[in-house]
Amino acid sequence: MTWRPQYRSSKFRHVFGKAATKENCYDGVPITRSVHDNHFCAVNPRFIAVITECAGGGAFLVLSVHHTGKVDPLHPKVSGHRGNVLDIKWNPFNDFCIASCSEDSTVKVWDIPPHGVLKNLTVPWKELQGHSRRVGLIEWHPTANNVLFSTGYDYQVMIWNLDSPEAVIKNPVRTISHHTDVVLSMSFNTDGSRLATSCKDKKIRVLEPRTGNLLQEANCKNHKASKVLFLGNLKMLLSTGSSRWNHRQMALWDQEDLDVPLLQEDLDGSSGVLFPFYDPDTHMLYIAGKGDGNIRYYEISSEKPYMHFLTEYRSHTPQKGMGIMPKRGLDVSSCEVFRFYKLVTIKALIEPLSMIVPRRSESYQDDIYPMTAASEAAMSAEEWLSGIDKGPVLQSLKPGSRVPDSYPELSSGLGSKGLGNSLGSRRSQSRPGQLQLAYIQDQLGNKECRSKTSVSNGQDPTLCSPPKTENELRLKFHKQQEEIRRLREMLNQRDVRIKQLELEINNAPLAPSVVPSHPHLSLDYSLTTPSPALSPWGSHCN
């Protein structure tokens, strides 16, 4: 009889939480005092947005993720709502677009300038007017571009197409009216073909979001759900709430059969709402309680017992809300697999918290970073409304990798760029020498453009905050000097290469069909063409 170990092998058994140092936190943020059970914070690789406390309307703050340290009390805000802002969400396919909903019964979509909010922003890109009462929750579709879902205290779930040309949209694409009370949470499956909701009437519903048809409904008397979450491609749902004896509880469900939960587990007797966060790449589940200082994390499997407790991060500072960084914004060099942004109201502080897999090697770890969702939409809003479902566009987190093109037909020869390339190939048949030089210069220019626009794991180095200390100023000065030196070297290399190509063209034998060189003509025929009136052999050109 062979001996088998009693423990379960896992790559994530020793994941630990590492809080950021004080200088890497966001200090002095007037976090909202609202009692609404939302996250109050939204993060992407460029910006962090947090709902703030203000008088005379609602506002939220947008900061660069690199703008750590003390926040200016007079920092400009996004303040276009007439009532308190209740929820904010970044567009998953546009890091400069954010949606907000408010007690003024409107949803507004904002365009954030590339270098951040430099003055108070009051005019939105789109305003959605359809709810009759305050709007408490919004969600973006995970694969279709510019499709937004909203729900409010009128018990309606509304679907909006932001590709509409109107600045003020009053008619949603569809309204879902299956709920009899306030919707507490919404969650999509991986391809956005299913929508799960939890409601104040203690029911969990699974809907077909495009048509609004009700597919499944759970009414468990032993579990009062407050939040619900799809667990990736495992075809399971997780709900958090309270038991009959008011113990905080989580339950696991089969999305095709919501009659009886697969698993129920009581956690403690606290009263704060439990926020679930799931990472489909690592199959890790994080449970953070409102008002708690700890975060529990589990590993989910498709077989019994389904849920395996890993460990718990403990802290003395309670969180009011949580923001999470998309996977494309993580630091893969330190084996970071998840990042929270804790809102600590008692200290007016936003504290980044990294979940790290301990590894000795500093190289890229393929086994803990599978292909993940990219920042490109898989389809347009019209395609989704026509009945098409597509999974997300995937990308590798390995430094230097590129996102595959989700619309390959746009890069075909029928496009404008492809047409220009075909015209250039026709011209090169008549003037081979000059067009080869133009082609090489064009390729060098494209290479420079790609190097200038490259983003490392979603972090653009041009969107850094201004230096706040003398050391930071000195460091940025040295970086700027190094960049200037590198650009000068690149220009010198370009000049040498151009001279080499000019010598090769002058020494190359001329073809019979090519006219002799003339000192008044430009070397590159693709850029300038002499006028027949100025040409001494104008009769031959005719």
Side-chain angles (χ1 to χ4, degrees):
M1 185 174 181
T2 59
W3 177 83
R4 294 183 179 179
Q6 297 299 317
Y7 63 88
R8 178 175 171 272
S9 177
S10 172
K11 293 177 289 190
F12 307 105
R13 289 181 62 208
H14 303 291
V15 170
F16 66 95
K18 182 180 180 181
T21 57
K22 185 65 178 293
E23 55 268 17
N24 291 322
C25 296
Y26 307 85
D27 194 10
V29 180
I31 302 171
T32 178
R33 298 189 183 94
S34 172
V35 297
H36 208 71
D37 292 329
N38 277 343
H39 297 156
F40 301 123
C41 180
V43 189
N44 68 23
R46 297 177 184 270
F47 299 107
I48 175 171
V50 58
I51 301 175
T52 58
E53 188 70 20
C54 65
F60 60 94
L61 196 65
V62 176
L63 301 171
S64 169
V65 292
H66 309 290
H67 189 181
T68 55
K70 189 72 173 178
V71 177
D72 187 357
L74 301 179
H75 192 284
K77 299 178 182 179
V78 181
S79 54
H81 284 285
R82 298 186 303 275
N84 292 329
V85 177
L86 300 180
D87 195 16
I88 49 176
K89 293 287 171 59
W90 288 104
N91 187 337
F93 312 118
N94 185 355
D95 289 342
F96 303 99
C97 178
I98 188 171
S100 61
C101 62
S102 169
E103 291 182 351
D104 61 8
S105 72
T106 64
V107 179
K108 297 187 179 184
V109 185
W110 309 85
D111 268 336
I112 304 300
H115 295 284
V117 180
L118 303 180
K119 61 180 180 179
N120 286 340
L121 195 59
T122 58
V123 180
W125 172 54
K126 298 282 185 182
E127 182 172 344
L128 314 180
Q129 300 177 356
H131 289 279
S132 58
R133 299 183 65 185
R134 57 180 174 174
V135 186
L137 196 62
I138 49 178
E139 285 288 345
W140 293 91
H141 193 277
T143 59
N145 194 26
N146 286 336
V147 176
L148 184 65
F149 287 67
S150 65
T151 181
Y153 282 68
D154 54 2
Y155 313 155
Q156 310 292 321
V157 177
M158 296 186 179
I159 308 173
W160 306 89
N161 180 10
L162 301 186
D163 287 337
S164 177
E166 296 87 5
V168 178
I169 305 175
K170 298 185 177 181
N171 297 317
V173 174
R174 184 169 297 278
T175 302
I176 302 175
S177 305
H178 291 292
H179 303 87
T180 60
D181 211 325
V182 179
V183 177
L184 301 177
S185 68
M186 295 188 293
S187 176
F188 287 95
N189 64 346
T190 304
D191 62 357
S193 60
R194 295 289 183 272
L195 172 67
T197 63
S198 61
C199 186
K200 205 171 181 179
D201 61 6
K202 305 179 183 180
K203 293 182 181 181
I204 298 174
R205 295 173 175 85
V206 177
L207 308 164
E208 207 286 321
R210 190 183 295 106
T211 61
N213 296 331
L214 180 63
L215 303 178
Q216 293 285 334
E217 184 176 280
N219 188 9
C220 184
K221 296 182 181 179
N222 297 327
H223 178 73
K224 180 182 177 182
S226 59
K227 302 292 180 183
V228 66
L229 189 66
F230 264 106
L231 299 182
N233 289 323
L234 297 179
K235 295 185 177 180
M236 289 191 293
L237 290 169
L238 179 107
S239 63
T240 60
S242 58
S243 67
R244 181 181 296 177
W245 297 274
N246 287 332
H247 289 168
R248 293 199 295 189
Q249 186 184 66
M250 57 182 179
L252 207 60
W253 308 80
D254 182 359
Q255 73 176 35
E256 305 297 337
D257 184 11
L258 299 182
D259 293 335
V260 179
L262 300 174
L263 176 69
Q264 280 184 332
E265 182 176 341
D266 290 348
L267 296 180
D268 52 39
S270 300
S271 59
V273 175
L274 293 174
F275 296 121
F277 303 93
Y278 181 68
D279 182 2
D281 300 332
T282 60
H283 301 293
M284 288 184 64
L285 172 70
Y286 303 87
I287 303 293
K290 184 178 180 180
D292 296 353
N294 60 337
I295 299 176
R296 302 174 177 90
Y297 34 105
Y298 304 78
E299 192 169 2
I300 307 296
S301 63
S302 57
E303 299 176 353
K304 290 184 178 180
Y306 302 115
M307 191 178 299
H308 308 274
F309 177 73
L310 295 175
T311 186
E312 181 178 7
Y313 170 80
R314 294 179 178 271
S315 171
H316 296 293
T317 55
Q319 60 253 5
K320 181 182 180 65
M322 304 285 282
I324 58 172
M325 173 69 76
K327 293 297 287 287
R328 55 192 174 88
L330 299 181
D331 182 13
V332 297
S333 62
S334 63
C335 297
E336 184 184 28
V337 293
F338 214 77
R339 189 190 303 168
F340 294 99
Y341 286 79
K342 292 178 54 176
L343 303 186
V344 185
T345 310
I346 58 176
K347 294 184 178 181
L349 187 73
I350 303 177
E351 180 185 45
L353 173 64
S354 299
M355 312 307 295
I356 296 175
V357 179
R359 294 285 175 93
R360 292 183 178 179
S361 175
E362 296 182 357
S363 60
Y364 178 74
Q365 306 293 315
D366 296 278
D367 59 329
I368 62 175
Y369 294 115
M371 298 289 286
T372 189
S375 60
E376 292 189 7
M379 55 186 165
S380 63
E382 288 75 13
E383 290 177 323
W384 181 76
L385 292 172
S386 65
I388 300 175
D389 287 322
K390 290 183 181 179
V393 178
L394 301 179
Q395 74 172 44
S396 172
L397 295 180
K398 188 172 184 178
S401 60
R402 298 183 62 187
V403 182
D405 194 357
S406 59
Y407 298 100
E409 64 273 7
L410 295 181
S411 59
S412 63
L414 296 178
S416 60
K417 188 174 180 180
L419 184 59
N421 291 337
S422 63
L423 291 176
S425 63
R426 293 175 187 173
R427 292 169 183 163
S428 64
Q429 295 176 1
S430 60
R431 294 189 296 271
Q434 287 76 12
L435 264 296
Q436 284 181 2
L437 174 61
Y439 172 77
I440 294 172
Q441 291 178 347
D442 184 60
Q443 293 298 314
L444 290 173
N446 291 339
K447 186 176 180 181
E448 284 186 5
C449 291
R450 286 196 298 269
S451 64
K452 289 180 181 178
T453 59
S454 62
V455 176
S456 175
N457 287 335
Q459 297 181 2
D460 191 347
T462 62
L463 295 180
C464 297
S465 60
K468 298 182 287 293
T469 64
E470 185 178 353
N471 291 332
E472 290 183 4
L473 181 62
R474 186 180 297 108
L475 182 62
K476 289 183 180 293
F477 172 76
H478 290 310
K479 287 183 178 180
Q480 189 178 26
Q481 293 298 316
E482 180 65 22
E483 182 70 14
I484 292 174
R485 184 192 62 79
R486 190 182 64 82
L487 291 175
R488 284 176 178 171
E489 290 181 356
M490 187 181 297
L491 288 175
N492 292 334
Q493 293 175 1
R494 289 285 302 276
D495 291 339
V496 171
R497 184 57 180 163
I498 289 174
K499 290 180 181 179
Q500 291 176 352
L501 292 173
E502 288 179 351
L503 291 175
E504 291 178 5
I505 293 173
N506 291 332
N507 297 331
L510 294 175
S513 59
V514 178
V515 296
S517 59
H518 193 274
H520 297 290
L521 298 181
S522 174
L523 180 63
D524 191 351
Y525 281 76
S526 63
L527 301 178
T528 59
T529 303
S531 173
L534 300 176
S535 177
W537 49 81
S539 58
H540 297 286
C541 295
N542 296 328

